[in-house]
Amino acid sequence: MAPVTKTSPNYTAGRGGSAVDRIVIHYIVGTLAAADATFADPNSGVSAHYGIGEGAVHQYVSEKNTAWHAGNFAMNQRSIGIEHSADAVRPPSQSTYTASIELCAQLCRTYGLNPLTQIIPHSSVVATACPGTVDLQRIRNGVKARL
Ligand SMILES: [Zn+2]
């Protein structure tokens, strides 16, 4: 699924010399439209590279730049952040998983990542409930099967 470009003012130009070696998985606690609104708001101070949900993939920040998603700047500099439409009682839809696996497989090819160890949950970076109802192993296994 081709990403639709959205803009966010919430990023740092470049990556401070860091190579991309992680994909950090998040859930929106809402729909993709909620992510669009939050990431477009300069007062939110947050962003991600990609958001997936409701049959669409949105790109907010260039992969060349540092998005503000992991709550840890060094991790932001070395990672791609992907948000998923879901909340505490609504897991991602089948189409969201399908699009996420496709995107993550493409990223793993581009950056030479091992999906089983380099696609990580936000909760492994900082103490957070994120990525909530996202089944991370389903994404890892789906990507591995496609590489
Ligand atoms: Zn998160």
Side-chain angles (χ1 to χ4, degrees), residues 25-27 69 83 122 128 130-131:
I25 299 297
H26 303 272
Y27 76 152
H69 58 95
E83 293 280 355
H122 188 188
T128 172
C130 185

Side-chain angles (χ1 to χ4, degrees), residues 5-143:
T5 300
K6 301 279 177 174
T7 56
S8 172
N10 304 327
Y11 69 90
T12 302
R15 289 183 172 277
S18 296
V20 171
D21 69 356
R22 293 289 186 277
I23 297 170
V24 179
I25 299 297
H26 303 272
Y27 76 152
I28 295 167
V29 194
T31 62
L32 189 60
D36 290 354
T38 299
F39 298 161
D41 178 0
N43 294 314
S44 76
V46 292
S47 63
H49 293 91
Y50 295 98
I52 302 171
E54 290 76 55
V57 178
H58 291 174
Q59 181 168 13
Y60 306 94
V61 175
S62 165
E63 292 175 18
K64 291 180 291 202
N65 294 328
T66 301
W68 301 341
H69 58 95
N72 175 299
F73 191 69
M75 180 56 75
N76 287 340
Q77 287 182 309
R78 59 190 274 211
S79 65
I80 304 271
I82 305 179
E83 293 280 355
H84 296 74
S85 176
D87 62 34
V89 297
R90 178 178 60 84
S93 68
Q94 173 66 49
S95 81
T96 293
Y97 278 114
T98 300
S100 181
I101 289 165
E102 179 186 354
L103 175 60
C104 287
Q106 179 188 316
L107 293 171
C108 284
R109 278 191 210 99
T110 298
Y111 296 101
L113 308 182
N114 178 340
L116 301 185
T117 57
Q118 291 174 287
I119 301 176
I120 64 171
H122 188 188
S123 57
S124 74
V125 182
V126 294
T128 172
C130 185
T133 51
V134 177
D135 182 349
L136 180 69
Q137 201 58 41
R138 177 171 171 176
I139 295 171
R140 285 172 166 167
N141 292 343
V143 172

